[in-house]
Amino acid sequence: MEGLEKLGNAPRQARAKASVEAILEGAAQLLESRGEAGFNTNAVAERAGVSIGTLYRYFRDKRAILATLAGREMSAVNAAVAEALAGGGTGLAPDRAAIRAFLGAFNGRSRARRIVVAELLSRADPQALAAGHAVAAPGMVDADGRPLSPIAAFVLSRAVHGAMRAAVVEGADFLLTQAFEDELVRLSRAYVRAQGSSAA
């Protein structure tokens, strides 16, 4: 993943970290309000309240900013999904909590998310994408509580994630609705029930 980790100047001090956070937050705000056409390093620096020199200290170009946004969000979502499937204290069923964690990424900034995901997919490392799915596999069980086979876990995770990703990339207006979440939960549970039946 491009971004901070490859620049050799990762922020170590609180002030530097605050600058990076401001840059990333400014970038997300800019993507949401102006879209990709209005997204450039000068505009990000202005929105973040930092000098262009400060921005370039941590990010080579706007693609590095997008890559860092994508990486951070993917890590946050993967952690939330893993916690949900492990029975984290959300008060929701694990499958619903995992789906909601993904749908709620980027704090509801759908336009920014669409741009960042498109950038991620255009440059994605297949192994990195697979690793993201792998975090959910241990929590996937059939209707009788047995772990899904690796193939079944693959099919279920890609089916649900594929529908969510398509809604993001296509700009579906129902992305953040309860109805869409309910349909994804229905899809997941129907497949899990079928796995339990076939095992019997």
Side-chain angles (χ1 to χ4, degrees):
M1 190 65 74
E2 290 183 16
L4 291 172
E5 60 280 1
K6 290 191 176 180
L7 294 180
N9 196 14
R12 293 181 177 87
Q13 300 176 352
R15 185 175 173 185
K17 290 180 180 179
S19 293
V20 169
E21 290 300 322
I23 291 166
L24 294 174
E25 176 60 23
Q29 290 178 10
L30 199 64
L31 287 168
E32 187 67 20
S33 63
R34 298 190 194 173
E36 194 167 12
F39 182 72
N40 58 66
T41 52
N42 285 317
V44 171
E46 181 179 353
R47 178 64 66 97
V50 301
S51 70
I52 191 67
T54 296
L55 184 148
Y56 282 128
R57 187 176 305 147
Y58 304 115
F59 300 98
R60 180 172 35 256
D61 53 28
K62 68 179 185 178
R63 298 297 173 197
I65 297 172
L66 288 175
T68 301
L69 281 171
R72 283 162 54 103
E73 201 62 30
M74 184 184 296
S75 295
V77 169
N78 287 346
V81 167
E83 182 180 1
L85 291 175
T90 63
L92 299 171
D95 56 351
R96 184 177 291 277
I99 288 168
R100 187 171 293 180
F102 182 90
L103 293 177
F106 278 84
N107 295 318
R109 290 171 171 155
S110 301
R111 189 180 191 189
R113 184 180 191 180
R114 184 166 62 252
I115 295 165
V116 172
V117 168
E119 173 69 13
L120 174 66
L121 293 176
S122 72
R123 304 159 72 94
D125 172 7
Q127 290 183 333
L129 293 177
H133 286 290
V135 301
M140 293 184 178
V141 296
D142 67 19
D144 299 313
R146 292 185 295 259
L148 294 182
S149 72
I151 293 175
F154 180 98
V155 170
L156 176 57
S157 64
R158 272 53 169 198
V160 174
H161 190 267
M164 293 188 287
R165 188 164 62 191
V168 171
V169 173
E170 295 172 24
D173 60 5
F174 52 73
L175 174 65
L176 300 177
T177 65
Q178 187 65 51
F180 186 48
E181 177 185 304
D182 289 345
E183 288 302 319
L184 293 169
V185 170
R186 186 174 293 116
L187 170 65
S188 173
R189 291 177 181 176
Y191 185 80
V192 164
R193 281 196 300 274
Q195 288 296 311
S197 300
S198 62

